[in-house]
Amino acid sequence: FNAAAKDAAVAALTAQGCTVEVSDLYAMKFKAAATTEDITGGVKDAENFCYAKEIKLASEEGRLAEDIKKEQEKLKEADLVIFQFPMYWSSVPAIMKGWMDRVLGCAYAQEKRYSEGIFKDKKAMLSFTTDCPESVYSDTGINGDINVTLWPLQNGILNYCGFQVFAPQIFWDPATGSPESHSSMLEGWRTRLQNLCGEATVYFAPLDYFDKEKGFLLKPEVKEKYASKESGLTVGIHMGKPLPANSQTKAGV
Protein backbone atom coordinates (compact mmCIF):
# COMPACT_ATOMS: atom_id res chain seq x y z
CA PHE A 1 0.00 0.00 0.00
CA ASN A 2 2.90 2.37 0.66
CA ALA A 3 3.97 1.93 -2.96
CA ALA A 4 0.43 2.77 -4.08
CA ALA A 5 0.41 5.86 -1.86
CA LYS A 6 3.76 6.93 -3.32
CA ASP A 7 2.50 6.44 -6.86
CA ALA A 8 -0.68 8.39 -6.10
CA ALA A 9 1.38 11.29 -4.74
CA VAL A 10 3.72 11.31 -7.72
CA ALA A 11 0.79 11.34 -10.14
CA ALA A 12 -1.16 14.02 -8.25
CA LEU A 13 1.80 16.36 -7.89
CA THR A 14 3.05 15.82 -11.45
CA ALA A 15 -0.44 16.65 -12.75
CA GLN A 16 -0.12 20.02 -11.01
CA GLY A 17 3.11 20.77 -12.86
CA CYS A 18 5.44 19.84 -10.01
CA THR A 19 8.78 18.18 -10.66
CA VAL A 20 8.84 15.07 -8.48
CA GLU A 21 11.91 13.05 -7.57
CA VAL A 22 11.61 9.82 -5.60
CA SER A 23 14.28 8.31 -3.38
CA ASP A 24 13.31 4.65 -3.06
CA LEU A 25 15.70 3.76 -0.27
CA TYR A 26 15.27 -0.01 -0.56
CA ALA A 27 15.77 0.01 -4.33
CA MET A 28 18.81 2.25 -3.85
CA LYS A 29 20.14 -0.12 -1.16
CA PHE A 30 20.73 3.03 0.87
CA LYS A 31 23.24 2.55 3.70
CA ALA A 32 21.45 3.10 7.00
CA ALA A 33 24.41 3.05 9.39
CA ALA A 34 26.09 6.35 10.20
CA THR A 35 29.82 5.54 10.17
CA THR A 36 33.22 7.01 9.35
CA GLU A 37 32.66 5.78 5.77
CA ASP A 38 30.34 8.78 5.35
CA ILE A 39 33.37 11.08 5.49
CA THR A 40 35.98 11.11 2.73
CA GLY A 41 39.58 12.01 3.45
CA GLY A 42 39.50 10.72 7.01
CA VAL A 43 38.08 12.12 10.24
CA LYS A 44 39.65 14.98 12.18
CA ASP A 45 39.56 13.36 15.63
CA ALA A 46 39.57 9.57 15.35
CA GLU A 47 40.42 9.07 19.01
CA ASN A 48 37.35 11.00 20.21
CA PHE A 49 35.11 10.36 17.21
CA CYS A 50 31.82 12.28 17.31
CA TYR A 51 29.66 11.65 14.24
CA ALA A 52 27.62 14.87 14.55
CA LYS A 53 30.72 17.08 14.70
CA GLU A 54 32.64 15.22 12.01
CA ILE A 55 29.72 15.08 9.56
CA LYS A 56 29.03 18.80 9.96
CA LEU A 57 32.68 19.64 9.31
CA ALA A 58 32.81 17.25 6.34
CA SER A 59 29.67 18.89 4.96
CA GLU A 60 31.24 22.34 5.19
CA GLU A 61 34.40 21.08 3.50
CA GLY A 62 32.69 19.03 0.78
CA ARG A 63 33.99 15.69 2.08
CA LEU A 64 30.75 13.72 2.33
CA ALA A 65 30.14 10.30 0.80
CA GLU A 66 28.59 10.43 -2.65
CA ASP A 67 25.21 8.97 -1.63
CA ILE A 68 24.78 11.65 1.03
CA LYS A 69 25.74 14.41 -1.41
CA LYS A 70 23.15 13.22 -3.93
CA GLU A 71 20.36 13.21 -1.35
CA GLN A 72 21.35 16.62 -0.03
CA GLU A 73 21.25 18.00 -3.56
CA LYS A 74 17.69 16.75 -3.86
CA LEU A 75 16.84 18.48 -0.58
CA LYS A 76 18.39 21.71 -1.78
CA GLU A 77 16.09 21.73 -4.81
CA ALA A 78 12.94 20.61 -2.98
CA ASP A 79 10.12 22.84 -1.80
CA LEU A 80 8.28 19.91 -0.20
CA VAL A 81 9.58 16.61 1.16
CA ILE A 82 7.13 13.75 1.77
CA PHE A 83 8.28 10.80 3.85
CA GLN A 84 6.24 7.74 2.84
CA PHE A 85 6.65 4.70 5.07
CA PRO A 86 5.01 1.92 7.08
CA MET A 87 5.15 2.73 10.78
CA TYR A 88 7.55 0.33 12.51
CA TRP A 89 7.65 0.20 16.31
CA SER A 90 5.87 3.57 16.48
CA SER A 91 8.54 5.19 14.31
CA VAL A 92 10.10 5.09 10.86
CA PRO A 93 11.83 1.98 9.45
CA ALA A 94 15.56 1.70 10.15
CA ILE A 95 16.56 2.56 6.59
CA MET A 96 14.61 5.84 6.72
CA LYS A 97 16.03 6.69 10.15
CA GLY A 98 19.45 6.06 8.64
CA TRP A 99 18.63 8.49 5.84
CA MET A 100 17.66 11.09 8.44
CA ASP A 101 20.81 10.47 10.49
CA ARG A 102 23.14 10.69 7.51
CA VAL A 103 21.48 13.18 5.16
CA LEU A 104 20.11 15.64 7.71
CA GLY A 105 23.40 15.79 9.61
CA CYS A 106 24.11 19.08 7.86
CA ALA A 107 21.08 20.57 9.65
CA TYR A 108 22.15 19.54 13.16
CA ALA A 109 23.34 22.84 14.59
CA GLN A 110 22.91 24.69 17.86
CA GLU A 111 22.91 28.10 16.20
CA LYS A 112 20.40 27.31 13.44
CA ARG A 113 17.58 25.06 14.60
CA TYR A 114 13.83 24.90 15.00
CA SER A 115 12.18 28.04 13.56
CA GLU A 116 15.65 29.26 12.51
CA GLY A 117 16.75 25.89 11.06
CA ILE A 118 18.46 25.66 7.68
CA PHE A 119 15.34 24.25 6.00
CA LYS A 120 12.99 26.93 7.33
CA ASP A 121 11.87 27.85 3.82
CA LYS A 122 10.88 24.28 2.98
CA LYS A 123 7.91 22.13 3.92
CA ALA A 124 7.79 18.48 4.93
CA MET A 125 5.22 15.91 5.94
CA LEU A 126 4.88 12.32 7.06
CA SER A 127 2.63 9.94 5.14
CA PHE A 128 2.45 6.49 6.65
CA THR A 129 0.52 3.29 7.18
CA THR A 130 -0.23 1.57 10.47
CA ASP A 131 -0.97 -2.07 11.28
CA CYS A 132 -3.86 -1.20 13.58
CA PRO A 133 -7.06 0.85 13.63
CA GLU A 134 -7.09 4.48 14.75
CA SER A 135 -8.56 3.57 18.15
CA VAL A 136 -5.30 1.83 19.16
CA TYR A 137 -3.45 5.16 18.87
CA SER A 138 -6.10 7.24 20.67
CA ASP A 139 -5.78 8.90 24.07
CA THR A 140 -7.49 5.88 25.62
CA GLY A 141 -5.97 3.28 23.27
CA ILE A 142 -3.32 0.76 24.26
CA ASN A 143 -0.56 2.36 22.13
CA GLY A 144 -1.34 5.82 23.45
CA ASP A 145 -2.08 9.13 21.78
CA ILE A 146 -0.71 9.31 18.21
CA ASN A 147 0.15 12.96 18.85
CA VAL A 148 2.67 11.86 21.49
CA THR A 149 4.09 9.24 19.12
CA LEU A 150 4.58 11.84 16.39
CA TRP A 151 6.29 14.45 18.57
CA PRO A 152 9.86 13.04 18.31
CA LEU A 153 9.57 12.74 14.52
CA GLN A 154 7.79 15.97 13.69
CA ASN A 155 9.39 18.17 16.34
CA GLY A 156 12.65 16.43 17.17
CA ILE A 157 13.66 15.88 13.53
CA LEU A 158 11.63 17.88 11.01
CA ASN A 159 10.95 21.01 13.06
CA TYR A 160 14.47 20.89 14.50
CA CYS A 161 15.82 21.14 10.95
CA GLY A 162 13.56 24.12 10.30
CA PHE A 163 10.96 22.43 8.10
CA GLN A 164 7.43 23.79 8.20
CA VAL A 165 5.49 20.59 8.86
CA PHE A 166 2.15 19.72 7.31
CA ALA A 167 -0.20 17.53 9.35
CA PRO A 168 0.54 13.86 8.58
CA GLN A 169 -1.37 11.69 6.16
CA ILE A 170 -2.23 8.54 8.10
CA PHE A 171 -3.54 5.40 6.44
CA TRP A 172 -5.04 3.37 9.26
CA ASP A 173 -4.58 -0.40 8.98
CA PRO A 174 -4.81 -0.80 5.19
CA ALA A 175 -3.66 -4.44 5.44
CA THR A 176 -7.10 -5.48 6.70
CA GLY A 177 -9.04 -3.15 4.45
CA SER A 178 -11.09 -3.98 1.38
CA PRO A 179 -10.17 -2.92 -2.17
CA GLU A 180 -12.92 -0.32 -1.87
CA SER A 181 -11.42 1.13 1.32
CA HIS A 182 -8.00 1.24 -0.32
CA SER A 183 -9.43 3.16 -3.27
CA SER A 184 -11.14 5.57 -0.92
CA MET A 185 -7.93 6.15 1.07
CA LEU A 186 -5.92 6.84 -2.06
CA GLU A 187 -8.56 9.12 -3.52
CA GLY A 188 -8.60 11.12 -0.30
CA TRP A 189 -4.80 11.42 -0.53
CA ARG A 190 -4.95 12.64 -4.13
CA THR A 191 -7.60 15.19 -3.23
CA ARG A 192 -5.59 16.47 -0.30
CA LEU A 193 -2.47 16.87 -2.44
CA GLN A 194 -4.40 19.04 -4.90
CA ASN A 195 -4.96 21.60 -2.14
CA LEU A 196 -1.90 20.98 0.03
CA CYS A 197 -0.23 24.33 -0.64
CA GLY A 198 -3.23 26.08 0.88
CA GLU A 199 -3.04 24.18 4.17
CA ALA A 200 -1.68 25.67 7.37
CA THR A 201 1.17 23.82 9.03
CA VAL A 202 1.45 22.22 12.46
CA TYR A 203 2.21 24.65 15.29
CA PHE A 204 5.53 24.56 17.13
CA ALA A 205 6.78 27.10 19.66
CA PRO A 206 9.32 29.38 17.91
CA LEU A 207 12.94 29.55 18.99
CA ASP A 208 12.59 33.09 20.35
CA TYR A 209 10.17 31.80 23.01
CA PHE A 210 13.17 30.33 24.83
CA ASP A 211 15.94 31.98 26.83
CA LYS A 212 19.35 30.84 25.58
CA GLU A 213 21.09 32.21 28.66
CA LYS A 214 18.92 30.11 30.96
CA GLY A 215 19.21 26.72 29.32
CA PHE A 216 16.58 27.39 26.65
CA LEU A 217 13.70 27.51 29.12
CA LEU A 218 10.51 29.33 28.22
CA LYS A 219 10.86 33.06 28.79
CA PRO A 220 8.84 34.44 31.73
CA GLU A 221 6.69 36.59 29.46
CA VAL A 222 5.74 33.54 27.38
CA LYS A 223 4.83 31.55 30.48
CA GLU A 224 2.71 34.47 31.65
CA LYS A 225 1.01 34.72 28.27
CA TYR A 226 -0.04 31.07 28.41
CA ALA A 227 -0.70 30.89 32.14
CA SER A 228 -4.47 31.16 31.72
CA LYS A 229 -4.65 28.64 28.87
CA GLU A 230 -6.26 25.29 29.61
CA SER A 231 -3.56 23.33 27.80
CA GLY A 232 0.16 23.61 27.22
CA LEU A 233 1.82 25.07 24.14
CA THR A 234 2.61 21.76 22.49
CA VAL A 235 2.85 18.03 23.20
CA GLY A 236 6.38 18.39 24.56
CA ILE A 237 6.22 21.89 26.01
CA HIS A 238 3.06 21.40 28.04
CA MET A 239 3.95 23.41 31.19
CA GLY A 240 2.45 20.68 33.33
CA LYS A 241 -0.97 21.21 31.75
CA PRO A 242 -3.15 18.90 29.64
CA LEU A 243 -1.72 18.35 26.17
CA PRO A 244 -3.28 20.37 23.36
CA ALA A 245 -5.58 17.89 21.59
CA ASN A 246 -4.57 16.78 18.09
CA SER A 247 -1.74 19.31 17.91
CA GLN A 248 0.48 16.97 15.85
CA THR A 249 -2.26 15.67 13.57
CA LYS A 250 -4.11 18.90 12.76
CA ALA A 251 -2.77 22.23 11.60
CA GLY A 252 -2.84 25.35 13.73
CA VAL A 253 -3.75 23.63 17.03
Side-chain angles (χ1 to χ4, degrees):
F1 190 89
N2 278 276
K6 178 264 294 181
D7 291 342
V10 170
L13 293 170
T14 302
Q16 297 176 61
C18 301
T19 299
V20 181
E21 188 156 5
V22 176
S23 290
D24 185 334
L25 301 184
Y26 289 108
M28 293 160 59
K29 293 182 170 55
F30 189 81
K31 183 172 83 74
T35 68
T36 56
E37 294 175 2
D38 298 342
I39 301 160
T40 61
V43 299
K44 299 295 184 180
D45 188 356
E47 186 175 344
N48 302 292
F49 178 68
C50 173
Y51 186 84
K53 290 180 180 179
E54 292 282 357
I55 205 71
K56 187 173 185 296
L57 186 60
S59 179
E60 293 169 352
E61 297 178 352
R63 296 187 296 108
L64 293 175
E66 199 60 33
D67 61 341
I68 297 177
K69 284 183 182 179
K70 288 179 180 178
E71 293 304 296
Q72 288 184 346
E73 281 300 313
K74 294 175 187 177
L75 273 180
K76 188 184 297 185
E77 296 298 319
D79 297 308
L80 167 68
V81 182
I82 300 175
F83 295 89
Q84 181 66 56
F85 60 95
M87 181 172 275
Y88 284 179
W89 295 105
S90 296
S91 188
V92 297
I95 196 169
M96 183 171 286
K97 181 57 167 62
W99 185 97
M100 293 171 171
D101 291 344
R102 298 178 68 227
V103 178
L104 298 181
C106 62
Y108 188 79
Q110 297 291 314
E111 63 276 10
K112 290 185 178 181
R113 55 179 171 169
Y114 293 116
S115 54
E116 297 301 319
I118 68 168
F119 296 130
K120 65 181 181 179
D121 296 323
K122 300 180 184 295
K123 294 183 170 67
M125 72 180 300
L126 306 178
S127 174
F128 60 91
T129 58
T130 70
D131 65 350
C132 58
E134 186 173 1
S135 59
V136 175
Y137 274 104
S138 69
D139 57 6
T140 56
I142 193 169
N143 282 1
D145 190 340
I146 188 66
N147 292 275
V148 176
T149 300
L150 291 171
W151 177 257
L153 293 172
Q154 295 192 157
N155 178 72
I157 298 177
L158 300 183
N159 181 43
Y160 187 99
C161 294
F163 286 110
Q164 300 169 57
V165 184
F166 284 122
Q169 181 73 20
I170 308 176
F171 300 101
W172 296 105
D173 199 17
T176 62
S178 65
E180 292 74 21
S181 70
H182 290 173
S183 295
S184 178
M185 287 180 183
L186 293 173
E187 186 55 36
W189 180 216
R190 293 187 194 96
T191 300
R192 184 184 179 193
L193 288 167
Q194 291 172 5
N195 304 290
L196 190 64
C197 290
E199 286 189 14
T201 51
V202 171
Y203 173 77
F204 298 100
L207 189 62
D208 61 10
Y209 271 21
F210 303 89
D211 191 334
K212 181 181 179 180
E213 303 304 318
K214 295 183 178 179
F216 287 99
L217 291 172
L218 278 176
K219 294 177 179 177
E221 58 268 31
V222 177
K223 292 177 70 175
E224 184 178 350
K225 176 182 176 181
Y226 285 88
S228 61
K229 303 288 185 180
E230 293 183 1
S231 61
L233 275 74
T234 59
V235 170
I237 305 150
H238 51 70
M239 303 169 62
K241 298 183 177 186
L243 305 186
N246 303 316
S247 66
Q248 291 297 296
T249 54
K250 292 184 179 180
V253 176

